[in-house]
Amino acid sequence: MDIAIAPSILSADFGRLEDDIRAAERGSPDYFHCDIMDGHFVPNISFGPMVVRKMRELTDVPLDVHLMITDPDRYIPAFVEAGASLIYPHIEAPHDVYRTVQLVNDLGVRAGITLNPGTPVEWVVPLLDQVESVLLMSVCPGFGGQEFIPGTIARVRRLRALLDEHRPEVGIAVDGGVSEANATDLVRAGADFLIAGSAVFRAPDIAEAVRRLRAAAERGKENK
Ligand code: DX5
Ligand code: ZN
């Protein structure tokens, strides 16, 4: 599977969002990651469909939308309408998550499913026919700039084995504290979709940070 790199715009400078997006584009990212927080599912509020729509106007890079919200079913149509290419609800949302991912698929958008660091990876098995990717959080969701939880590497390995057994074509995404320092190990363990906020947008050279992250990830593929 090809490696996908997705800079998370949560760490971008919203006063000069377009400049930051242009800079990141020069590093050839595969997606821009949009973190949606409702102040209820997580203890922070970020932005909604309006900003996703603006992103859609600003760039041709596909948008993956991470829904850290209590009521995903209510807002999914708005994010589809705003131009999301891939939508990642949380498995812990107090909803029938099978129905949630089905709703994403029914609206013609690709679906993933997200797991918090304390959620058993086995929970994804009943959803595997509905998703193309499983997103493992490597921090507690809610804020950018947190430290990577090292146990995530073992979780990626366990999830990869589980996917190989049930549906090998499903990908593994990792989000939170991802950087050059852990990208190689993550890919070696089986990840193929790396999301990074501060490692990209807080770097002195944003385009170079995207390229370096990809290079570190590709090294994990070479010596697997
Ligand atoms: C955290 C968000 C992440 C965040 C990652 O709740 O889901 O996408 O933006 O930021 P870094 O890479 O700085 O941990
Ligand atoms: Zn995220």
Side-chain angles (χ1 to χ4, degrees):
M1 227 178 277
D2 283 341
I3 304 289
I5 303 291
S8 166
I9 64 164
L10 190 67
S11 297
D13 180 344
F14 276 70
R16 24 164 293 166
L17 185 60
E18 181 163 8
D19 295 348
D20 275 10
I21 295 310
R22 294 288 168 260
E25 278 176 334
R26 287 195 286 277
S28 305
D30 301 283
Y31 291 86
F32 281 115
H33 182 81
C34 301
D35 283 309
I36 314 301
M37 305 178 183
D38 64 355
H40 188 261
F41 184 76
V42 288
N44 194 9
I45 299 176
S46 59
F47 52 82
M50 244 171 62
V51 171
V52 174
R53 183 171 303 113
K54 197 71 211 166
M55 284 292 296
R56 182 68 301 140
E57 288 167 22
L58 279 177
T59 179
D60 291 332
V61 174
L63 306 174
D64 73 299
V65 173
H66 176 192
L67 294 181
M68 289 162 274
I69 63 178
T70 299
D71 196 352
D73 296 21
R74 181 166 173 193
Y75 297 100
I76 281 167
F79 287 105
V80 170
E81 169 80 13
S85 291
L86 173 56
I87 297 187
Y88 284 110
H90 266 261
I91 205 164
E92 303 86 1
H95 258 228
D96 177 352
V97 72
Y98 194 89
R99 187 208 285 275
T100 303
V101 289
Q102 229 173 6
L103 171 64
V104 175
N105 285 320
D106 287 349
L107 292 173
V109 167
R110 293 141 56 208
I113 188 71
T114 312
L115 274 64
N116 278 333
T119 301
V121 293
E122 290 74 15
W123 282 21
V124 299
V125 173
L127 301 172
L128 290 180
D129 58 339
Q130 294 285 343
V131 298
E132 69 161 52
S133 175
V134 178
L135 167 49
L136 293 182
M137 288 308 299
S138 37
V139 299
C140 292
F143 300 91
Q146 302 181 77
E147 212 169 299
F148 180 81
I149 299 172
T152 308
I153 307 274
R155 277 168 65 75
V156 171
R157 217 175 287 124
R158 248 197 341 275
L159 177 59
R160 189 68 267 165
L162 202 63
L163 296 178
D164 284 349
E165 188 185 326
H166 292 274
R167 195 160 171 246
E169 64 268 36
V170 173
I172 299 181
V174 181
D175 183 13
V178 172
S179 72
E180 255 191 285
N182 48 41
T184 308
D185 287 344
L186 282 169
V187 170
R188 198 176 289 140
D192 39 59
F193 191 116
L194 300 184
I195 297 154
S198 41
V200 170
F201 287 109
R202 299 294 156 91
D205 182 334
I206 292 173
E208 184 59 15
V210 177
R211 287 192 284 263
R212 290 177 71 106
L213 195 58
R214 188 185 303 283
E218 294 291 346
R219 281 197 292 280
K221 245 173 110 178
E222 284 157 19
N223 45 22
K224 233 180 196 173

